[in-house]
Amino acid sequence: MERIVLAFSNDETARKIKHILDGSGYEVSYISHSRDELLRILANQDELLVIMGYKIGEFVADDIYEDLFPSQKLMSIVKAEKQSLIENEDIFVLPLPVNRQNLISSIEIFLGVVHKRSSTKRSGEDQKIIEKAKLYLMEKHCMTEEQAHRFIQKRSMDTGSKFIDMARMILHI
């Protein structure tokens, strides 16, 4: 089982997320309220999933990601308007509002995606299809590349399909 650390400045938010996870078979190992406290936890743990908001103290999710070790992962739960501000594609971004089912399925998908990503790379053919789907979304719907990527990611998550399959659906192939 993956160990989970919650990193929220607001104690009430952390307790709500912990309550959701405790009742779903996930164990929250630590709750951190500051970057310094989180760094102490990260230094002593191997495989961890850190779940945070957009920022903790003065540090945004991208800053915290830089502090992680390779076996540690980061999920950020953010307001929709903050979603595009997170630049690192390895941070799993979950937009608010979040319900129990959405949070649990997102964690399961994210952990599966991260494990797959570390063990296998996409084929050149799959990468070309993904790039074509992004380009299509950018041209037809005036999206940035990042927005197109997140759109495909979100749709694949919502439908329970693979990222590449969603890209194919967008291209109708």
Side-chain angles (χ1 to χ4, degrees):
M1 181 191 317
E2 198 79 27
R3 283 179 287 186
I4 296 176
V5 174
L6 301 180
F8 290 93
S9 298
N10 183 315
D11 191 49
E12 181 63 25
T13 303
R15 278 188 282 160
K16 286 178 183 177
I17 300 288
K18 182 181 183 333
H19 180 72
I20 290 171
L21 295 175
D22 284 347
S24 302
Y26 287 98
E27 181 182 337
V28 174
S29 301
Y30 302 96
I31 296 176
S32 171
H33 299 293
S34 71
R35 177 179 176 259
D36 290 340
E37 187 178 11
L38 180 60
L39 290 177
R40 284 191 293 277
I41 295 167
L42 295 175
N44 296 318
Q45 303 295 320
D46 279 335
E47 293 186 11
L48 280 178
L49 170 60
V50 177
I51 300 175
M52 66 179 291
Y54 173 67
K55 63 192 240 178
I56 184 166
E58 296 299 313
F59 298 92
V60 297
D62 288 305
D63 298 329
I64 299 299
Y65 183 83
E66 297 300 319
D67 295 326
L68 299 179
F69 292 101
S71 63
Q72 298 169 341
K73 304 158 197 74
L74 180 63
M75 174 183 284
S76 183
I77 303 172
V78 300
K79 293 179 181 175
E81 62 267 15
K82 299 273 189 193
Q83 194 171 353
S84 64
L85 298 177
I86 296 177
E87 297 175 358
N88 191 313
E89 290 185 7
D90 290 327
I91 298 172
F92 188 93
V93 179
L94 184 60
L96 288 170
V98 173
N99 62 35
R100 182 175 202 255
Q101 180 181 349
N102 194 3
L103 178 62
I104 300 304
S105 63
S106 295
I107 290 171
E108 290 170 355
I109 289 169
F110 178 55
L111 294 178
V113 167
V114 170
H115 291 305
K116 282 183 185 176
R117 186 182 297 162
S118 64
S119 62
T120 60
K121 294 285 183 185
R122 289 190 179 108
S123 71
E125 178 75 22
D126 286 353
Q127 193 59 41
K128 286 179 185 177
I129 291 169
I130 290 167
E131 292 305 317
K132 283 182 184 178
K134 285 183 193 178
L135 187 59
Y136 173 83
L137 291 170
M138 291 164 62
E139 290 174 355
K140 296 292 183 185
H141 299 284
C142 301
M143 293 182 179
T144 65
E145 181 178 4
E146 183 178 319
Q147 288 170 330
H149 178 86
R150 290 186 194 265
F151 176 84
I152 298 169
Q153 182 182 46
K154 177 82 169 98
R155 292 288 298 146
S156 67
M157 185 178 75
D158 289 346
T159 61
S161 61
K162 293 180 181 178
F163 193 92
I164 184 63
D165 293 337
M166 183 53 59
R168 286 186 178 113
M169 284 185 241
I170 289 168
L171 295 172
H172 306 292
I173 57 173

